[in-house]
Amino acid sequence: INNERYFNLMRQAFVMIKHLPEDLRAYVEAIDEVHYNPHSKHFVKYGVADSSGAYFNKILSSDALSMIFVRRNALYSSPLYFVRILVHEGTHAAQDRRAKRYLIEISNMKRDLMNLAKTGREDSLQYHNLKKDIDVRLDYARRWFSGIETQDGQLIQDINFECEATINEIKALKALNASPRAMDDSGYLNVCPSAKRVIERWKSEIDVKNN
């Protein structure tokens, strides 16, 4: 495969990423490896045909390695699209690390909770706050690793993680003075009210400025 265009676009994307605010650059820096694997009839992901532009691989990634796969054919892409991919999937890499860190923290916090119970401090504010912090972290980790349960008992991916990543995409585009239309091909805007509100507010700001 001739990958020259892919590497040229990726090189341009990283130049643009240097101009992003530090908090957005941190998501890209959370990625350790980027693999280019354009669509092919021979490639199947999770037992079904893969149609995504890119994805973070939970299975191959570990505590020390975050791996994403770029599926979008570079022939029909742009540097800005690759910026979006890196910020979006980098957000998932950060979410994965956060969930794993929470599991470690939960183990330590449960030990502290037991020590408080042993000294008869189960009614203390410290005990209740610690228990609340454990529940928050456990809920996050469960939703990330297992998903959420539907009414019929099926586990599905929690869309909130995708919404956070999509909002970061919008923030990156705005920071680069791009057009909101660059997000027109994002399917997440239709299922993420929070992301849709962010981009509509951006469009309103542009209209006010132009008028």
Side-chain angles (χ1 to χ4, degrees), residues 8-187:
N8 286 337
L9 292 177
M10 190 63 79
R11 189 177 297 110
Q12 294 173 55
F14 276 109
V15 170
M16 297 169 75
I17 287 168
K18 289 180 181 180
H19 299 286
L20 291 178
E22 185 177 353
D23 60 331
L24 292 174
R25 291 202 312 271
Y27 292 117
V28 180
E29 291 166 1
I31 302 170
D32 297 303
E33 291 186 7
V34 181
H35 296 264
Y36 182 47
N37 191 357
H39 292 288
S40 165
K41 65 180 180 180
H42 303 292
F43 185 87
V44 174
K45 184 179 70 171
Y46 307 136
V48 297
D50 173 43
S51 60
S52 57
Y55 66 94
F56 170 76
N57 195 303
K58 288 185 183 181
I59 298 173
L60 295 181
S61 296
S62 64
D63 294 343
L65 179 70
S66 294
M67 187 182 301
I68 76 166
F69 285 79
V70 176
R71 307 287 290 131
R72 177 74 170 260
N73 191 324
L75 182 63
Y76 310 105
S77 194
S78 68
L80 203 58
Y81 182 82
F82 278 90
V83 171
R84 286 176 52 197
I85 279 179
L86 291 167
V87 171
H88 187 108
E89 304 307 327
T91 301
H92 291 327
Q95 290 165 342
D96 185 66
R97 291 182 180 178
R98 187 181 303 128
K100 290 172 180 174
R101 185 180 74 248
Y102 280 172
L103 290 178
I104 296 173
E105 292 175 357
I106 287 170
S107 179
N108 296 331
M109 294 166 76
K110 281 184 175 180
R111 187 166 55 249
D112 294 338
L113 201 66
M114 290 176 61
N115 290 334
L116 288 172
K118 287 178 182 178
T119 56
R121 299 170 63 187
E122 290 175 291
D123 293 329
S124 68
L125 181 61
Q126 184 181 2
Y127 184 93
H128 288 291
N129 286 342
L130 192 57
K131 192 173 185 302
K132 182 179 179 181
D133 289 342
I134 290 174
D135 290 340
V136 169
R137 285 166 172 74
L138 187 58
D139 175 69
Y140 188 98
R142 280 176 176 167
R143 288 188 294 109
W144 174 254
F145 291 114
S146 302
I148 56 176
E149 190 173 327
T150 61
Q151 291 183 341
D152 57 2
Q154 289 186 328
L155 286 174
I156 60 172
Q157 180 184 0
D158 188 342
I159 194 64
N160 286 320
F161 293 112
E162 295 295 348
C163 295
E164 180 186 357
T166 303
I167 288 174
N168 285 336
E169 277 187 73
I170 299 170
K171 289 179 179 178
L173 292 176
K174 188 175 180 181
L176 294 173
N177 294 317
S179 168
R181 290 184 300 175
M183 287 294 297
D184 285 352
D185 64 344
S186 174

